[in-house]
Amino acid sequence: METTESIRMAVDTLLSNKLRSVLTMLGIVIGNASVIAMIGFGQGAQKLANDEFESLGPNVIFIVPGSQQDRETTFDLPKTLVLEDAEAIASQVPSVDLVAPQINAQMITAYKDRNARHLITGVTPEFMPVRDYEIDRGRFITELDLQRNTRFVVLGSERAERYFGDRDPIGEQVRIKNISFEVIGVMKSKGAFLGTNQDDIMFLPLTTMANQLVGKTSIYGTEISFISVSARDQKSINAAKFQLENLLRLRHKIVGEDDFTVRTQKDILNIVGTVTGGLTTLLAGIAGISLLVGGIGVMNIMLVSVTERTQEIGLRKAMGAKENDILAQFLVEATILSVAGGIVGTIVGISGIILVSLISPLSAVISPFAVVLAVGVSGGVGLGFGVFPARRAAKLDPIVALRRL
């Protein structure tokens, strides 16, 4: 029997049982949509994480207190970095362009009858170019502010809106720990990063933060929360990391494990990529199980179809149909069900990705590889799970089959 005739007969048979055909395809539809959506969401999450880290600034290296083991086992990290470490890096590491130490603390701030507890950051003028921030109104912290310990504050865009609404906050007074600070600037919106709203931060001169708000708590100098360093260019990042690690080991007189951790942007992106890639694979694997379930559904319905059409099969064999003709007909039916379900599932999966991208910050990705993989696997599942029912139909004895007439 010709292939076109097998396809025509298969389509006619499936259309004669529309509801059963649709329900049979449903498992394949759900499986395909799930695989495509999960891979798309996983790749979108990875892209979102990459964009967030790249927004921290170009060629950035982060130095944080505590060893890697300390960071994995406790939230109360040792205070091992001081302002003098940052100054030494700036003056003695040739591969470094700018160094931006900072002190972070959660504090109560207030304006008139409004108050909130949020992040206060003491910074130097280098913070803005290193971390790729921009001023929207007014100005940022200057070197003169550091020298004079001025009570000036620069607001994140969201904090400025919450306290002042549409009014210009420049020149207004806000209180931090019951100390008045004059607003001298407002930052452009930066967005959230790892759960921290960067637009809800207040920036002070680092010296003011250390001397008037948190105090100097180390005998070795002014404690700082971490140091952001920008290398001269992309090629200098590895050299800068090596040089500043050696410098800090000498300064801290380390003979064993480091009491600090250095991470480049590339290191962090690799970690994030590994995590999101593994998560994507896991989600796609779980979604793929529904394809297997859909394939079992196809096999089950095809077995039912063989039982229902026993007389038809016997009659066709009695009229000269060969085993290969019967085998081809049932395989074509199973394949049509699976491929049609795969196409519908692809449309559903892509629609879900587009919908999520429209209503959330997650820029989910439509992966051509995922589409081809899902449709190919669904077709293969139908073909594979259709073999057993098709062989069973092809092997029927025409005399036994005709006795059921």
Side-chain angles (χ1 to χ4, degrees), residues 1-191:
M1 187 170 59
E2 294 183 358
T3 303
T4 53
E5 182 66 17
S6 295
I7 294 174
R8 186 189 65 78
M9 290 184 64
V11 171
D12 289 342
T13 302
L14 294 174
L15 290 177
S16 65
N17 295 281
K18 295 184 181 66
L19 180 60
R20 187 167 70 181
S21 299
V22 170
L23 292 176
T24 303
M25 287 194 304
L26 192 58
I28 301 295
V29 170
I30 294 172
N32 264 50
S34 300
V35 170
I36 292 171
M38 291 303 101
I39 292 177
F41 295 154
Q43 292 180 346
Q46 186 168 3
K47 182 177 182 298
L48 180 63
N50 290 347
D51 291 343
E52 284 193 353
F53 279 105
E54 288 173 359
S55 72
L56 292 177
N59 311 326
V60 178
I61 302 172
F62 301 99
I63 309 165
V64 294
S67 65
Q68 183 61 36
Q69 183 177 357
D70 292 333
R71 303 191 67 78
E72 292 174 353
T73 57
T74 180
F75 290 105
D76 188 18
L77 297 176
K79 308 295 185 182
T80 56
L81 293 178
V82 293
L83 182 59
E84 288 73 13
D85 289 329
E87 293 170 346
I89 291 171
S91 62
Q92 299 179 40
V93 178
S95 300
V96 164
D97 184 22
L98 295 171
V99 179
Q102 64 186 82
I103 302 173
N104 296 335
Q106 291 284 338
M107 295 184 181
I108 298 292
T109 68
Y111 173 72
K112 294 184 177 179
D113 60 343
R114 303 171 188 170
N115 60 76
R117 183 179 180 85
H118 55 96
L119 184 63
I120 308 298
T121 300
V123 296
T124 63
E126 290 77 17
F127 175 84
M128 195 162 65
V130 170
R131 295 291 300 276
D132 203 26
Y133 275 77
E134 296 181 32
I135 277 285
D136 183 36
R137 284 168 286 174
R139 67 173 179 86
F140 196 63
I141 307 299
T142 65
E143 194 64 40
L144 190 61
D145 294 327
L146 296 179
Q147 295 172 7
R148 295 181 175 178
N149 285 271
T150 55
R151 291 181 178 176
F152 290 153
V153 62
V154 179
L155 305 180
S157 58
E158 187 171 317
R159 179 49 47 188
E161 182 178 353
R162 289 186 179 184
Y163 274 171
F164 299 97
D166 296 332
R167 294 187 296 111
D168 187 0
I170 306 300
E172 297 286 346
Q173 299 285 325
V174 297
R175 297 187 306 279
I176 305 175
K177 292 184 68 173
N178 290 323
I179 300 175
S180 292
F181 287 79
E182 180 184 344
V183 178
I184 61 170
V186 177
M187 306 297 290
K188 286 187 177 180
S189 179
K190 187 74 169 175

Side-chain angles (χ1 to χ4, degrees), residues 241-386:
K241 179 181 177 182
F242 176 78
Q243 292 166 4
L244 66 85
E245 283 177 337
N246 286 337
L247 175 62
L248 290 177
R249 289 186 187 116
L250 288 173
R251 286 184 51 82
H252 296 190
K253 300 178 182 179
I254 293 173
V255 293
E257 186 179 19
D258 293 341
D259 62 358
F260 59 90
T261 304
V262 179
R263 285 284 182 267
T264 66
Q265 207 172 56
K266 185 178 180 180
D267 293 335
I268 300 173
L269 287 174
N270 287 338
I271 294 171
V272 172
T274 300
V275 173
T276 54
L279 184 60
T280 300
T281 303
L282 175 63
L283 292 174
I286 294 173
I289 294 175
S290 60
L291 273 178
L292 178 63
V293 174
I296 294 172
V298 170
M299 183 173 66
N300 184 49
I301 294 300
M302 293 306 295
L303 284 171
V304 172
S305 180
V306 169
T307 301
E308 288 180 347
R309 296 159 63 188
T310 300
Q311 297 110 335
E312 175 194 332
I313 294 168
L315 186 60
R316 289 184 59 195
K317 280 199 164 188
M319 296 177 65
K322 299 178 181 179
E323 286 189 5
N324 287 342
D325 295 330
I326 306 298
L327 180 68
Q329 181 183 353
F330 280 88
L331 283 179
V332 168
E333 288 181 22
T335 303
I336 289 175
L337 280 173
S338 300
V339 172
I343 293 173
V344 174
T346 299
I347 295 172
V348 173
I350 292 176
S351 301
I353 289 174
I354 294 173
L355 179 62
V356 169
S357 299
L358 291 175
I359 64 177
S360 76
L362 182 66
S363 300
V365 177
I366 299 173
S367 170
F369 169 75
V371 173
V372 173
L373 176 66
V375 174
V377 169
S378 63
V381 163
L383 191 61
F385 281 94

Side-chain angles (χ1 to χ4, degrees), residues 385-403:
F385 281 94
V387 167
F388 177 70
R391 285 183 61 83
R392 183 172 176 178
K395 293 294 183 181
L396 279 176
D397 188 320
I399 296 175
V400 175
L402 286 171
R403 280 178 184 172

